[in-house]
Every structure is written in structure tokens, then in C-alpha cells.
């Protein structure tokens, strides 16, 4: 995104050389360490791959992309972080990038706390103690936290993503942000609960007069809006993998002595899906470059549904094998369905968009 002499913002949806280099590094590492078969093998026992996360954070530096250089990070833009999320979505990689390097980091940035440097190095992980189903329009959904006169926090938050591997919980309470050290503070219970997306567990966090350190003010709605903007890029990555894998399958799978991809009905379905994914890429790039309320609402109104549709098409067009546990396509369907209700549903974002652009419904 650049600014012209007149002050107007011009935006390109093309990827820069730096972004393509970052993509190549992340994709190469994921192809070697995190193929879908490896993710499928570990989801029922130990979902998160923390060794992979240490490599991503330490060798490629993805954990500190959004953190300014003077605070120990890379000083990159949201567009670079979006490229990483595209690749993580393509691999349904079980790492806490979205929860620690995006949501928790966005909440911490205004405080300029030293914890940012530790997150950038990948030495520690943080989780925002907010329900993953909360949205910029309903930021307090699923939370009931309070602070007493001694600065201790009590209450419960349901559906917190990344809490089970976090070293620090960031709890927004009454417009302020508090840090709760998970290994040392008492009065904390983190209980993992069943989740549709096996690669991104959620937990119920219960605090009972837990010791906390106030970090500063927190605009939770803005944090969730910025997170939703980048979630659109992860959803794009999911859709791209589903489309690419399905295209490869219909070229190889033969029926009646010809590839099933040569049948006109399938050609039309896949052509329509390709157009949907192209539009999703434009929406995701726009939201990453300009995370305004309108851009984010547009991206989430579209991309969440496209990811689900692409995954459903992948399951159907893979035929019988697509319905089995052994094929990884169900991981992408589950990630897409869970992402559809994360940080606001498509309906939430459409309703907000209608209000933002003053589109009125029938009287």
C-alpha cells in the first residue's frame, strides 16, 4: 500500500518480492516438516507441533513480524503476516501463529511491553483470553472477568484458542489489558474442550483471584478486527489447497476410460470455484493492506464461506476416499467450518457491512 502525492492511498493486490521470498521459506519448511499426512497423524494425541513453531519463529522469524524492530521484532507489515497465514492455511499447520503472533501481539502492541520481545524471539507464547467466537461487534462474548482492588482477576472465558500452550494469558478487563503468567500464578485452570478443528484446540479458562500485571489500555474490538482481517488470509490458504488438490485428483482419477475432470459438469464446478478463490484472494489482500471496518467486513463476509465451499467440493469430488479419515481433506473442512464462526460469522460481518455502507433492508 502506497500514498500518492495528493495523500490518497493506492493499493496493489500483487505480492512483493519480499513477500514471495517469505512465502517460499515458509512453504518449503512446511512441505518438509508439516505435510498433511503428518498433521493427520498427530491431531488426536498432541495437536500442536511446538518444535515446528520454534523453527518458524527462530529461523524464519515469523513470530515477530508484526512487532517493531525497536521492540525486538521484524517491523514487517500485516501483508507479510498475511502471506504466512496463507501458507499455514494451506498446510492446516498446528502452530499458534494466529493466536500468539497475531491476536496476542496486536493486543500488546500499544503497551510496548517487554513481553513483545520475548514473543518475537519465540521463547514464549501468549494467548488472548477472549472467546474465539467473539467478534469486533461483540468483543465480550463468552467472557465474564473482573478485577478486584488488589489487581487479581476472577471469572471464566470459554472457547479460548491457544490457551493450552500459552505461557502468558492476556486478559482484557474493562478496557485494560492484564498479563497472567500461566506457570507461576495460582488460581488458573485451563481445560481443553472438544473442538471441531482438531488442529486448533480451544479451552475454557477459569481464573480465581489470579495474580495479574496491568499492561495498559486495550481496544478489544480493534484487536479482533485486525485479527479477522488476517484470518481471511488463512481461509484463502485453506481454499487454495482444496482447489489445487481437487484439480490434481480429477486429472488423475479415471472413469469410463477418461479423466473425471474432463466431464463438463465438473469443469463448470471447478471453474466457478476458481473464480471464488480469486475473489477471496483480492478480499484477503485488501483487508491485510487496509484493515478498515469495511475491508474486514467484506473479506470475512466472503472468505469464510469460500473456504467452507472449497472444502466441501474437495470432499465430494474426491469421491469415496474424500469421506475417509485417512485422507486429510477433512482437516481442511473442519478448519474452514471452525474459521467460519471465529472472530465473527459471515452474517455478523454482512450485517455490519450493510450498516457501514448504509444499505437498508426492506421496511
Amino acid at each position: 500500500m502506497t500514498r500518492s502525492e495528493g495523500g490518497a492511498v493506492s493499493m496493489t493486490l500483487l505480492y512483493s518480492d519480499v513477500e514471495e521470498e517469505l512465502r517460499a521459506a515458509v512453504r518449503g519448511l512446511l512441505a518438509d516438516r508439516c505435510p498433511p499426512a503428518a498433521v493427520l497423524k498427530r491431531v488426536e494425541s498432541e495437536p500442536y507441533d511446538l518444535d515446528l513453531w520454534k523453527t518458524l519463529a527462530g529461523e524464519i522469524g515469523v513470530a515477530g513480524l508484526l512487532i517493531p524492530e525497536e521492540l525486538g521484532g521484524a517491523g514487517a507489515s500485516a501483508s507479510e503476516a498475511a502471506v504466512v497465514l496463507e501458507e499455514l492455511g494451506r498446510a492446516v499447520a498446528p502452530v499458534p501463529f494466529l493466536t500468539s503472533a497475531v491476536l496476542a501481539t496486536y493486543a500488546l502492541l500499544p503497551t510496548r511491553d517487554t513481553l513483545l520481545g520475548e514473543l518475537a524471539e519465540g521463547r514464549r507464547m501468549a494467548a488472548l483470553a477472549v472467546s474465539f467466537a467473539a467478534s469486533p461487534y461483540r468483543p465480550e462474548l463468552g467472557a465474564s472477568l473482573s478485577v478486584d482492588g488488589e489487581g487479581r482477576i476472577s471469572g471464566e472465558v470459554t472457547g479460548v484458542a491457544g490457551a493450552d500452550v500459552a505461557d502468558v494469558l492476556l486478559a482484557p478487563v474493562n478496557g485494560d489489558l492484564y498479563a497472567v503468567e500461566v506457570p507461576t500464578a495460582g488460581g488458573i485452570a485451563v481445560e481443553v474442550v472438544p473442538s471441531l478443528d482438531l488442529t486448533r484446540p480451544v479451552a475454557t479458562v477459569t481464573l480465581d483471584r489470579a495474580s495479574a500485571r496491568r499492561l495498559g489500555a486495550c481496544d478489544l474490538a480493534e484487536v479482533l478486527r485486525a485479527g479477522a482481517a488476517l484470518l481471511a488470509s488463512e481461509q484463502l490458504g485453506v481454499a487454495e489447497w482444496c482447489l489445487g488438490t481437487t484439480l490434481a485428483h480429477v486429472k488423475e482419477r479415471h472413469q469410463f476410460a477418461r479423466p473425471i475432470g474432463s466431464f463438463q459438469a465438473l469443469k463448470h464446478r471447478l471453474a466457478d470455484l476458481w473464480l471464488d478463490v480469486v475473489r477471496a484472494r483480492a478480499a484477503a489482500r485488501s483487508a491485510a493492506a487496509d484493515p478498515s471496518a469495511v475491508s474486514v467486513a467484506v473479506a470475512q463476509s466472503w472468505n469464510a464461506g469460500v473456504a467452507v465451499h472449497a472444502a466441501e467440493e474437495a470432499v465430494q469430488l474426491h469421491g469415496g476416499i474424500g469421506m475417509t479419515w485417512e485422507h486429510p481433506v477433512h482437516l481442511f473442512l473442519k478448519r474452514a467450518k471452525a474459521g467460519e464462526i471465529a472472530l465473527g460469522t459471515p452474517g455478523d460481518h454482512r450485517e455490519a457491512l450493510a450498516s457501514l455502507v448504509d444499505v437498508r433492508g426492506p421496511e
Side-chain angles (χ1 to χ4, degrees), residues 1 11-24 27 77-88 90 229-230 232-238 240 277-289 303:
M1 184 170 64
M11 186 183 306
T12 176
L13 300 182
L14 301 178
Y15 296 96
S16 68
D17 292 341
V18 171
E19 289 166 352
E20 291 294 6
E21 290 172 5
L22 177 60
R23 181 194 305 282
R27 183 176 294 189
S77 71
S79 294
E80 281 85 10
V83 167
V84 173
L85 276 165
E86 285 181 38
E87 295 307 312
L88 296 178
R90 289 174 63 94
L230 290 180
S233 291
E234 180 184 275
Q235 291 162 334
L236 169 63
V238 169
E240 286 180 329
V277 172
V278 169
R279 297 181 187 115
R281 184 177 302 114
R285 293 289 290 169
S286 176
N303 286 32

Side-chain angles (χ1 to χ4, degrees), residues 27-40:
R27 183 176 294 189
L29 177 63
L30 294 177
D32 180 54
R33 298 270 298 275
C34 188
V39 178
L40 184 61

Side-chain angles (χ1 to χ4, degrees), residues 106-363:
Y106 271 133
L108 272 172
L109 281 175
T111 72
R112 300 182 69 83
D113 192 82
T114 55
L115 179 57
L116 285 164
E118 298 175 348
L119 295 184
E121 294 173 5
R123 291 191 288 117
R124 306 187 78 193
M125 293 171 288
L128 188 62
V130 174
S131 172
F132 204 42
S135 74
Y137 325 111
R138 297 180 64 195
E140 301 297 337
L141 182 67
S144 58
L145 298 179
S146 61
V147 180
D148 63 19
E150 299 178 5
R152 294 177 178 271
I153 299 181
S154 298
E156 181 181 273
V157 188
T158 59
V160 180
D164 52 322
V165 292
D167 303 297
V168 182
L169 291 174
L170 302 179
V173 187
N174 300 327
D176 290 325
L177 188 68
Y178 295 83
V180 180
E181 300 285 341
V182 175
T184 56
I188 302 175
V190 177
E191 180 185 1
V192 176
V193 297
S195 171
L196 178 63
D197 183 1
L198 300 175
T199 64
R200 181 178 284 147
V202 297
T204 296
V205 174
T206 305
L207 304 175
D208 183 11
R209 301 193 75 249
S211 299
R213 178 169 63 93
R214 183 185 179 277
L215 301 174
C218 176
D219 187 339
L220 184 55
E222 283 301 314
V223 171
L224 296 178
R225 181 173 291 109
L230 290 180
L231 176 61
S233 291
E234 180 184 275
Q235 291 162 334
L236 169 63
V238 169
E240 286 180 329
W241 183 91
C242 292
L243 174 61
T245 300
T246 304
L247 283 172
H249 177 75
V250 299
K251 290 177 182 178
E252 297 171 358
R253 172 70 170 154
H254 282 66
Q255 195 171 37
F256 305 114
R258 56 188 290 193
I260 62 173
S262 65
F263 295 121
Q264 192 74 4
L266 296 192
K267 286 183 178 180
H268 282 294
R269 286 173 67 174
L270 290 168
D272 287 342
L273 183 56
W274 179 83
L275 288 172
D276 287 348
V277 172
V278 169
R279 297 181 187 115
R281 184 177 302 114
R285 293 289 290 169
S286 176
D290 173 31
S292 65
V294 170
S295 294
V296 174
V298 168
Q300 278 301 318
S301 295
W302 181 254
N303 286 32
V306 169
V308 172
H309 178 55
E312 290 174 341
E313 289 288 79
V315 170
Q316 289 189 16
L317 296 181
H318 273 80
I321 191 175
M323 305 297 292
T324 65
W325 181 267
E326 287 73 19
H327 196 285
V329 68
H330 67 87
L331 295 177
F332 292 84
L333 176 59
K334 292 169 182 174
R335 171 66 69 90
K337 291 295 289 185
E340 191 179 29
I341 59 174
L343 305 180
T345 66
D348 293 333
H349 292 286
R350 282 193 292 269
E351 184 177 349
L353 181 60
S355 176
L356 288 165
V357 299
D358 197 24
V359 174
R360 301 182 183 183
E363 295 294 339

